[in-house]
Amino acid sequence: MKRKRPISKKILALVAVAFLASAGFVLASHLTEEQPAAPIIGSAIYSPPPNFAEIASHVEVVKDIRYHESDNAFMDFYYPKDATGPLPVILWIHGGGFIGGSKDSRQDYGMTLANAGYLVANIDYALAPGQLYPGPVIQANEALKFLGNSAAQYGGDMGRIFVGGDSAGAQIASQVAALQTNPSLAETMNLAPAVSSQQMRGALLFCGLYDMETVRESGFPNIDFFLNAYTGAERFEAFGNIHEMSTIQHVTPAYPDVFISAGDADPLEPQSVALADSLRIKGVDVTDVFFRGTDKNLKHEYQYALDTNDGQETLQKTLDFLLEKSQAQK
């Protein structure tokens, strides 16, 4: 692992303030709302689907499998208890501004995907500023390597792999997908792809950031703090390898098919739209779910509000994408 350094108490304090400020941006408008019993229209805090108790009864959970010797390199597996054949594999990478978050906060969502017939590998990774870029990308690549040797034990089919993530996790996932399919990027990063482009069936990208040249313009709260912490630079644009993080610069026709979404009130939504456009120019098949002009006011990470109509509809479109791509012949 690269560029590891001690964490000062001052930095940890600043990280905590920034993370809470970002979380407040997402959650502030919901803390005073009453939680309705039925799905509503709009954005909400993380909520499992109304039938989650039934989902949980059908899904096996295996916690805290170490996938690499690096810091915080643990993986959870979720898969259907009644699976009868090899399952497509989904590697999931959580968000949190590169400085926070955990796999546990995405467990309900991962189990919901697994219930539809998938082996979901939900990972933790070392966080900034204790671990700097490209640590999480290296760890996600190592997670794919680990799956190559272990997925079959849990019913997984490594011939059908998806990589997905949300927010900062979507950036990492998008770069990992580029690493597997763009030899030039792999050479620049001095990393060997863990799997072949033929194994990659798709990427699931929610509310991410994909162009470091324009992301400051988004006005996303504390975006400079998050990226400065991740790169270790006083100003992230000056970081020597910042171009590697701009997935929009590294997509090729070999990039896997993409499902991409962001809410209309998410400051990072233009990042997703720009990446979708760039992928289509390269000939990559893209399924997008955007809400421009709808005035739905769907905020950052709206897709995790699975007690809302919009969250449920995007989940169903995600499952439709997974089914189509996992059944396609390559």
Side-chain angles (χ1 to χ4, degrees):
M1 201 62 59
K2 300 179 181 179
R3 305 187 68 219
K4 194 170 181 180
R5 69 184 187 188
I7 312 174
S8 72
K9 292 182 179 179
K10 182 178 180 180
I11 289 177
L12 284 174
L14 287 170
V15 166
V17 171
F19 183 71
L20 290 172
S22 179
F25 168 76
V26 178
L27 303 180
S29 63
H30 311 297
L31 292 178
T32 59
E33 295 178 2
E34 295 183 0
Q35 295 297 318
I40 60 173
I41 297 175
S43 184
I45 59 176
Y46 301 108
S47 301
N51 65 332
F52 184 71
E54 179 183 359
I55 288 172
S57 71
H58 295 296
V59 174
E60 193 72 42
V61 176
V62 181
K63 298 283 289 183
D64 297 327
I65 304 299
R66 179 169 282 281
Y67 64 83
H68 191 246
E69 68 272 12
S70 52
D71 290 348
N72 208 32
F74 295 96
M75 172 186 293
D76 293 347
F77 284 114
Y78 318 130
Y79 56 92
K81 293 179 179 179
D82 59 354
T84 57
L87 303 170
V89 177
I90 303 172
L91 177 69
W92 196 261
I93 306 170
H94 71 79
F98 305 104
I99 65 172
S102 74
K103 59 182 174 58
D104 291 342
S105 66
R106 309 306 192 252
Q107 179 166 319
D108 291 356
Y109 187 80
M111 291 174 67
T112 301
L113 296 180
N115 186 59
Y118 301 90
L119 173 64
V120 177
N122 180 22
I123 66 169
D124 272 332
Y125 51 90
L127 302 172
Q131 178 62 64
L132 301 179
Y133 174 86
V137 180
I138 295 172
Q139 287 184 294
N141 195 52
E142 291 293 338
L144 285 175
K145 289 181 183 178
F146 178 83
L147 287 170
N149 295 319
S150 64
Q153 176 183 348
Y154 300 95
D157 175 10
M158 286 298 287
R160 295 179 293 167
I161 304 169
F162 297 85
V163 60
D166 61 278
S167 194
Q171 188 284 320
I172 297 166
S174 73
Q175 188 172 347
V176 169
L179 175 67
Q180 312 308 311
T181 55
N182 184 338
S184 178
L185 178 62
E187 181 179 359
T188 297
M189 296 187 69
N190 194 29
L191 289 175
V195 299
S196 69
S197 59
Q198 288 73 30
Q199 292 172 269
M200 296 289 297
R201 292 299 184 92
L204 309 172
L205 306 176
F206 293 100
C207 308
L209 52 158
Y210 313 106
D211 187 346
M212 300 304 114
E213 292 184 359
T214 61
V215 71
R216 185 183 290 275
E217 300 170 10
S218 71
F220 191 86
N222 300 301
I223 189 62
D224 57 336
F225 189 93
F226 295 136
L227 287 171
N228 291 352
Y230 187 38
T231 61
E234 291 186 6
R235 182 179 174 86
F236 68 84
E237 290 95 338
F239 176 58
N241 295 330
I242 192 67
H243 64 283
E244 295 175 4
M245 296 168 56
S246 289
T247 301
I248 199 168
Q249 298 182 21
H250 304 296
V251 295
T252 70
Y255 200 88
D257 296 342
V258 170
F259 183 94
I260 190 167
S261 185
D264 59 318
D266 184 348
L268 292 178
E269 185 253 16
Q271 293 270 308
S272 291
V273 172
L275 180 61
D277 290 345
S278 180
L279 287 162
R280 289 191 173 104
I281 289 172
K282 294 292 185 180
V284 177
D285 185 73
V286 178
T287 300
D288 65 55
V289 179
F290 298 132
F291 301 89
R292 290 190 160 184
T294 65
D295 294 323
K296 286 179 175 288
N297 197 36
L298 296 174
K299 298 177 175 61
H300 191 62
E301 302 280 48
Y302 84 94
Q303 78 284 349
Y304 283 135
L306 293 176
D307 60 345
T308 67
N309 289 337
D310 292 302
Q312 290 180 13
E313 288 172 7
T314 296
L315 172 63
Q316 186 56 56
K317 291 174 182 177
T318 303
L319 295 176
D320 290 345
F321 173 88
L322 287 166
L323 180 62
E324 176 189 350
K325 303 305 178 183
S326 62
Q327 291 184 343
Q329 298 297 316
K330 290 195 75 173

